[in-house]
Amino acid sequence: MTDPQPATGPRADCHRPDADGPLPLLAVTLGDPVGIGPEITARTLADPATTALGRGLAVGDAAVLRRAVAVCGLDVEVNAVGAPGEARFEPGTIDVLDLGIAPADLPWGTVDAVAGRSAVAAIEAATRAALAGEVDGIVTSPINKEAIWAAGSEHLGHTEMLGELTGAAHFDTMFVVRGLKIFFTTRHLALRKALDQITEERVASSIRHATTALRVFGHDEPRLAVAAINPHGGEGGHFGDEEITVLRPAVEKAAAEGLGVVGPIPADSVFHQGLEGRFDGVLSHFHDQGHIPAKTVDFDGTVSVTVGLPILRTSVDHGTAFDIAGSGRASPGTMAAAFRAAAGFSRCTDRIRAAYGTAAAR
């Protein structure tokens, strides 16, 4: 295995807010109207510390947002608009692109087809605005899969829906936690099935996609580490041979293509090394391998970014929390982190379009 060295390559400034330009305009979907999405959106967009970084336009139902404002005890006005250009972005006001689908009296914390239809419509409206250049990016609240299926959607979730809406040929999830970016070879699969799908070509392809994403999101000379799968990196094949038969050949293939990649590095140390600054990103191989270290280090601060889309999209990385919806107790920490990340990454939109525009992606 290659001995990792500190990452010292130059970084692009697209990840830094532009102090001289207008604040980025971000569309923030309310998510499922009977989950915690409206509450965490209301708290985030009512916080002057957050909105000092960007102009947030809620997307969903004005009636739902007003109910969330009341539940949270916020002293703000909800201003319903019909288009992004009508928003005022005044102190003490939350502007919302009103879809007029869900009423304010839907029962909290229940699977509801109307709520699902509202959630889907918000994603569609925010995506259209981003593709048209009316907003600089979108930030998404959690949706409930059963509710969107009840509303007729056939998508597994947000990411697949956004892929179809934008015409993206390939898309991945990138976690960002304290500056480190974490990628996944596989995600929503049973562990046994995920291990079967970790092939040399799939890992090599994941390395290429991760390296592209690192460049797009601010690293001109990206340094990517590939995590091992087995304990101690397999101990020369005694604890498993995937490092020898799959991971190392994939790393060598990618390195021969000129990519800045090292590994495989034992998973119990590679994330720590990344957080220390040795790498810009880490490629993990299955869902929990990447989720557990990120969320243990900073649960509220871990942000999900969908890479491969021709638009900027960040998201909270938690669910609708039906058990506490309507109580006003939901923490807005993850939503505030996703909003801050989108405000920062909004300077990368030209790179995002260039790398992931429909024509380029295909």
Side-chain angles (χ1 to χ4, degrees), residues 267-300:
D268 61 1
S269 60
V270 68
F271 298 98
H272 172 70
Q273 292 173 9
L275 288 165
E276 283 190 322
R278 294 194 181 196
F279 315 113
D280 304 308
V282 173
L283 176 63
S284 62
H285 300 294
F286 49 90
H287 184 280
D288 283 5
Q289 188 181 47
H291 278 243
I292 290 173
K295 294 180 180 179
T296 300
V297 167
D298 190 350
F299 189 92
D300 282 350

Side-chain angles (χ1 to χ4, degrees), residues 162-176:
L162 288 163
E164 180 175 300
L165 290 170
T166 60
H170 180 92
F171 41 86
D172 295 297
T173 293
M174 176 179 77
F175 272 11
V176 182

Side-chain angles (χ1 to χ4, degrees), residues 33-340:
V34 297
I36 64 170
E39 296 169 60
I40 61 176
T41 299
R43 289 193 183 278
T44 297
L45 298 186
D47 184 357
T50 302
T51 55
L53 302 175
R55 296 168 292 159
L57 172 66
V59 181
D61 298 297
V64 168
L65 184 58
R66 290 190 179 101
R67 179 168 74 158
V69 165
V71 162
C72 295
L74 299 173
D75 184 18
V76 294
E77 175 192 351
V78 172
N79 177 44
V81 301
E86 298 174 9
R88 301 199 304 251
F89 304 112
E90 296 175 348
T93 299
I94 301 177
D95 297 289
V96 56
L97 184 61
D98 185 18
L99 304 179
I101 295 174
D105 59 353
L106 290 179
W108 289 107
T110 58
V111 174
D112 188 284
V114 174
R117 189 159 66 250
S118 173
V120 170
I123 297 166
E124 293 172 343
T127 302
R128 285 195 300 269
L131 289 172
E134 296 175 326
V135 300
D136 297 303
I138 67 175
V139 184
T140 57
S141 293
I143 60 176
N144 181 278
K145 291 180 173 58
E146 288 185 67
I148 67 168
W149 295 337
S153 174
E154 297 181 354
H155 295 290
L156 293 176
H158 263 124
T159 304
E160 294 78 12
M161 195 182 309
L162 288 163
E164 180 175 300
L165 290 170
T166 60
H170 180 92
F171 41 86
D172 295 297
T173 293
M174 176 179 77
F175 272 11
V176 182
V177 56
R178 298 189 182 177
L180 179 66
K181 299 171 177 68
I182 300 175
F183 303 88
F184 302 85
T185 302
T186 69
R187 283 204 61 208
H188 292 124
L189 291 171
L191 181 56
R192 291 184 188 278
K193 291 183 178 180
L195 293 174
D196 289 339
Q197 293 195 18
I198 299 172
T199 63
E200 178 183 336
E201 184 49 46
R202 184 162 185 161
V203 173
S205 177
S206 295
I207 291 170
R208 296 184 194 105
H209 287 302
T211 301
T212 296
L214 289 172
R215 289 198 186 98
V216 168
F217 286 89
H219 303 275
D220 285 345
E221 295 180 11
R223 293 279 291 173
L224 178 72
V226 173
I229 294 174
N230 295 299
H232 304 174
E235 289 283 14
H238 292 286
F239 297 161
D241 65 359
E242 285 85 357
E243 287 72 23
I244 298 171
T245 62
V246 175
L247 301 183
R248 189 175 298 160
V251 169
E252 291 172 350
K253 179 184 293 186
E257 297 171 4
L259 303 183
V261 58
V262 296
I265 299 172
D268 61 1
S269 60
V270 68
F271 298 98
H272 172 70
Q273 292 173 9
L275 288 165
E276 283 190 322
R278 294 194 181 196
F279 315 113
D280 304 308
V282 173
L283 176 63
S284 62
H285 300 294
F286 49 90
H287 184 280
D288 283 5
Q289 188 181 47
H291 278 243
I292 290 173
K295 294 180 180 179
T296 300
V297 167
D298 190 350
F299 189 92
D300 282 350
T302 296
V303 173
S304 177
V305 182
T306 305
V307 298
L309 305 178
I311 61 173
L312 170 64
R313 181 258 180 153
T314 67
S315 179
V316 301
D317 191 55
H318 59 69
T320 51
F322 276 176
D323 57 324
I324 62 169
S327 69
R329 295 187 289 114
S331 168
T334 49
M335 173 56 79
F339 189 94
R340 289 193 299 269

